[in-house]
Amino acid sequence: MTLHKIAIPILGEEIVPRFDLTTEVIILTTAKNLCIQDKKIIVLPRSSSDELCHTLLAQEINTLICGAIEDEYYEFLKWKKLHVFDGVSGTWPHAFERWQTQTLNPGDILFIRMVEGNLI
Amino acid sequence: MQSFPEIHRLMRSPLDFAHILDEIPLGILVMDKDLRVVHLNRFFQALTGFSLDMARGIPCKNVLRSSACILNCPVLATHRKDRSISCTSDMINTDRQKLPVRITTAQIMDTQGHLTGYIETIEDLRSSATNDPEKNVAYSFANIIGRSRKMEMIFQTLPMLAQSDASILITGETGTGKDLVAEAVHQTSQRAGGPFIKINCGALPETLLESEIFGHMKGAFTGAVENKPGRFKLAHNGTIFLTEIGDLPLPLQVKLLTFLDDRIIYPLGATKGFNANVRIIAATHRDLESMVSIGKFRKDLLFRLNVARVHLPPLRERGADIRLLLDHFLNNYTKKQGKKINGFSEPALSVLLNYTYEGNIRELKNIMEYAVNVAQGTRIEADNLPAYILDYEPVQQRLKMPAAEDVTQTQSEQPQMPESRQTGETGQTWSSVQRQMIMNALKTARGKKNKAAQILGMSRSTLWRKIKEYQIE
């Protein structure tokens, strides 16, 4: 059975807007049918892009869904063969669901848009 | 959605609020009480890459993406202290660049004094960051360092060029600092307060590039679901930097030429033009004259861009600058990584000075970063350097600027092969230095290879291999 590991840096339920300011990462392991086999949250001692990259490699992550990331780290992770969806904002379950249905794209904004309490 | 917000009763007729904000040379973000984006201006879009259509109605921290938003939200601080707050921070834009910014936040009240929302101004601090006295170094202009004759001439020319408004064409091999020069010229020019927009002409396919540079109107083509202002419009009152101009497709060269003539841009599908006040800086590592001769680049465009030309010499032609740059990057990375390295050992320096840096300063910088990371002692030793430069035989290269035949390949993709050997400034190659070091160590160790290997800091098998290689009897 081929397992696929997805990492999403989070802040509560939402994807943290900045990769370098992440202190919590949710790691989802899916089977071939893309259903979640395992879910765990790693809490980092401090926010650091270097340490987070190291964690992702140590955890053998295949796909990263994150917010804003500096080009240096983006290129590094791509070079390390990670599939990176950056610039994604919204809740992590929503982003994961889009990934499962193969409708997630880098830069996707998944929030419900509201101004002064009204949907727009 | 209100497309054209207006200001009433300030003047006789209603005013276009968006237009007023667009003319202010600061990024402006208007939010409601729940910190959701209501409006943003053109400068904010240039700085962050987010258009109003993309950002409207979503939480501001996902648009501004500054560290202050996550660590200590300035808007909440404004609310708590009931006054405007200013702080310095950084943000990451959609080009994945981290920029230093100053954020000032204030509350918006209605006529009855009730809190209605917040307004934030974002100031780009890149220009003041480069004026930081700590970062200023002798023999430099902005962040460019050098004291060779060729660089001195460039340092004399750049401030004058910066003050003029002429188009500049920067040429030079990969890694010579073309981007740095372009940004330095912008930051020291009258346009420093305006946006600096970079477009890599080789990075996007032709169809996308046109809409990226000149913009498009909603419905101009399938998938154009919103108006896109284009980079030229975003760079209004600032500078546009067209890097890899040699890779610009011919049809777009014509469109650029038209803009250079009448300074009006026509987004795809637009009937009305926009008069853009933009300074153009172009850069390429290709030989544009040769490209003109084979019909890959328009002669008239070359003439229009070539008002002022800055040619950045490759590192191998900059003589003493190599040492200056080595020391500069050594200091830089030593400080960054909190190490106590104060110089180079003789063999390490000999290798570094005799190496021909095909990747120029970018390569030298990477080598120094690696060496500082690896070094354990107080000096950079030869074995702290990347293996490929230790195995490299110093050679003299005459790298021609690629033009006609290899237009589709960049220099970095296709480094030219060494032609002839050289002995470098010291008259020695790394091989001869290493051979001498091994001989000295063997003499000191009275022929005992184990001890010689210890002295040289290499394993016995490496020493044995080197002895064979250099045919030391």
Side-chain angles (χ1 to χ4, degrees):
Chain A
M1 189 166 61
T2 323
L3 295 176
H4 192 95
K5 288 175 108 176
I6 302 119
I8 312 177
I10 53 169
L11 184 68
E13 272 287 285
E14 289 175 11
I15 300 170
V16 63
R18 287 267 295 254
F19 178 81
D20 57 340
L21 300 175
T22 303
T23 49
E24 255 180 84
V25 193
I26 188 161
I27 294 175
L28 305 156
T29 308
T30 62
K32 210 175 179 182
N33 57 6
L34 304 181
C35 289
I36 299 176
Q37 297 285 306
D38 185 35
K39 180 169 98 177
K40 65 176 173 185
I41 292 178
I42 295 181
V43 179
L44 303 165
R46 63 189 154 265
S47 55
S48 148
S49 291
D50 289 311
E51 285 178 29
L52 183 49
C53 284
H54 178 78
T55 307
L56 297 178
L57 297 180
Q59 294 287 329
E60 297 177 333
I61 299 298
N62 305 103
T63 298
L64 168 70
I65 301 172
C66 64
I69 180 171
E70 272 181 274
D71 200 44
E72 188 183 347
Y73 296 99
Y74 174 81
E75 291 298 338
F76 172 74
L77 293 171
K78 295 277 275 187
W79 177 60
K80 286 287 178 187
K81 306 268 190 292
L82 265 78
H83 197 184
V84 184
F85 294 90
D86 72 320
V88 178
S89 55
T91 62
W92 73 259
H94 194 172
F96 177 69
E97 193 188 305
R98 293 280 286 261
W99 177 83
Q100 277 179 313
T101 52
Q102 297 182 5
T103 51
L104 184 70
N105 289 303
D108 272 354
I109 297 167
L110 308 173
F111 282 104
I112 295 166
R113 293 173 188 268
M114 293 173 87
V115 169
E116 296 193 302
N118 299 318
L119 292 174
I120 57 166
Chain B
M1 178 175 159
Q2 192 183 359
S3 307
F4 302 104
E6 292 174 343
I7 301 172
H8 289 266
R9 290 163 61 184
L10 181 65
M11 295 178 91
R12 200 164 46 208
S13 47
L15 304 177
D16 181 350
F17 176 66
H19 182 73
I20 293 172
L21 290 194
D22 280 349
E23 295 306 315
I24 299 171
L26 279 174
I28 297 177
L29 188 65
V30 181
M31 294 153 280
D32 67 6
K33 274 195 289 189
D34 303 321
L35 310 189
R36 288 188 177 249
V37 176
V38 177
H39 193 81
L40 53 85
N41 71 344
R42 193 169 60 212
F43 201 95
F44 185 92
Q45 182 177 351
L47 205 59
T48 61
F50 278 94
S51 67
L52 181 58
D53 286 338
M54 286 159 78
R56 196 170 147 86
I58 70 167
C60 59
K61 65 172 185 273
N62 292 284
V63 178
L64 185 54
R65 311 199 293 191
S66 87
S67 48
C69 297
I70 294 157
L71 304 172
N72 184 18
C73 173
V75 180
L76 295 180
T78 302
H79 187 73
R80 262 196 319 271
K81 296 185 178 171
D82 202 19
R83 62 177 170 86
S84 68
I85 297 268
S86 186
C87 67
T88 52
S89 182
D90 54 53
M91 51 156 279
I92 298 181
N93 63 16
T94 52
D95 287 339
R96 305 191 189 95
Q97 274 182 307
K98 197 186 226 178
L99 309 176
V101 288
R102 180 178 294 116
I103 304 171
T104 307
T105 314
Q107 297 176 333
I108 302 173
M109 302 294 184
D110 65 10
T111 47
Q112 271 82 48
H114 300 130
L115 176 71
T116 324
Y118 301 92
I119 186 163
E120 226 165 34
T121 62
I122 321 296
E123 190 183 343
D124 182 358
L125 293 182
R126 272 176 294 180
S127 56
S128 44
T130 49
N131 291 335
D132 186 345
E134 279 183 17
K135 289 187 179 171
N136 283 345
V137 190
Y139 308 112
S140 70
F141 175 75
N143 280 333
I144 312 153
I145 297 163
R147 63 176 163 215
S148 61
R149 206 174 141 59
K150 285 185 176 178
M151 288 313 285
E152 265 181 24
M153 281 168 66
I154 290 174
F155 293 150
Q156 283 168 16
T157 327
L158 283 182
M160 287 185 282
L161 290 181
Q163 290 313 306
S164 80
D165 214 22
S167 300
I168 300 178
L169 179 62
I170 306 168
T171 56
E173 285 176 17
T174 179
T176 47
K178 297 184 287 293
D179 287 31
L180 213 56
V181 168
E183 197 158 348
V185 167
H186 168 74
Q187 299 298 2
T188 48
S189 74
Q190 311 269 358
R191 294 173 178 267
F196 176 76
I197 304 281
K198 179 179 164 183
I199 305 171
N200 189 332
C201 302
L204 290 170
E206 188 184 323
T207 41
L208 277 180
L209 196 60
E210 180 165 8
S211 124
E212 193 65 33
I213 297 179
F214 299 103
H216 62 244
M217 303 304 287
K218 190 174 175 178
F221 49 84
T222 314
V225 290
E226 59 186 56
N227 288 342
K228 188 176 178 141
R231 300 280 178 122
F232 265 93
K233 196 168 180 183
L234 293 178
H236 185 50
N237 290 330
T239 307
I240 199 150
F241 175 43
L242 300 165
T243 178
E244 304 303 351
I245 187 85
D247 297 338
L248 192 70
L250 274 169
L252 283 185
Q253 289 181 25
V254 181
K255 208 162 176 183
L256 181 61
L257 195 67
T258 319
F259 169 76
L260 289 172
D261 276 340
D262 50 23
R263 299 273 158 183
I264 295 174
I265 49 158
Y266 291 93
L268 274 168
T271 47
K272 210 173 131 193
F274 175 80
N275 204 331
N277 171 21
V278 174
R279 182 192 198 171
I280 292 188
I281 303 179
T284 184
H285 69 281
R286 300 195 188 285
D287 184 351
L288 291 183
E289 277 81 5
S290 311
M291 288 182 70
V292 165
S293 65
I294 56 159
K296 294 263 182 189
F297 199 80
R298 287 185 68 102
K299 198 176 189 176
D300 36 8
L301 179 60
L302 175 62
F303 289 145
R304 277 173 182 82
L305 291 174
N306 201 9
V307 180
R309 190 165 192 154
V310 178
H311 178 70
L312 297 174
L315 202 47
R316 62 182 174 278
E317 290 175 14
R318 288 175 56 179
D321 282 357
I322 297 181
R323 183 64 208 262
L324 191 70
L325 288 162
L326 286 171
D327 288 339
H328 169 74
F329 287 119
L330 176 70
N331 278 338
N332 212 343
Y333 287 117
T334 306
K335 262 187 209 164
K336 241 185 201 174
Q337 296 178 24
K339 290 199 170 182
K340 286 181 182 164
I341 302 170
N342 48 32
F344 303 90
S345 71
E346 275 297 317
L349 194 59
S350 169
V351 174
L352 288 166
L353 292 177
N354 284 304
Y355 182 67
T356 49
Y357 297 87
E358 281 171 27
N360 293 299
I361 300 156
R362 190 180 291 128
E363 188 181 8
L364 182 144
K365 186 178 161 204
N366 290 346
I367 290 171
M368 287 317 299
E369 185 172 2
Y370 175 87
V372 172
N373 269 302
V374 170
Q376 298 292 322
T378 55
R379 288 193 314 170
I380 300 281
E381 301 292 339
D383 56 5
N384 298 148
L385 301 174
Y388 75 93
I389 76 163
L390 293 177
D391 297 337
Y392 188 85
E393 291 290 329
V395 288
Q396 188 155 23
Q397 290 192 9
R398 290 282 171 268
L399 288 179
K400 275 165 58 186
M401 293 178 86
E405 301 80 14
D406 56 349
V407 156
T408 53
Q409 277 182 299
T410 63
Q411 251 176 4
S412 54
E413 286 165 348
Q414 198 182 45
Q416 298 201 355
M417 291 307 290
E419 286 163 3
S420 62
R421 287 169 184 240
Q422 72 153 23
T423 51
E425 280 178 17
T426 57
Q428 290 175 307
T429 63
W430 167 237
S431 310
S432 64
V433 171
Q434 201 174 38
R435 187 174 197 276
Q436 193 56 48
M437 283 166 63
I438 294 171
M439 300 250 289
N440 291 345
L442 283 168
K443 266 187 216 163
T444 315
R446 298 182 174 207
K448 285 177 185 156
K449 292 194 180 81
N450 262 341
K451 202 173 173 191
Q454 266 180 13
I455 294 169
L456 289 163
M458 54 174 75
S459 68
R460 198 174 183 280
S461 59
T462 308
L463 178 63
W464 179 82
R465 191 167 48 79
K466 296 275 177 195
I467 287 173
K468 278 268 183 200
E469 190 182 322
Y470 297 133
Q471 298 176 340
I472 300 170
E473 293 300 321

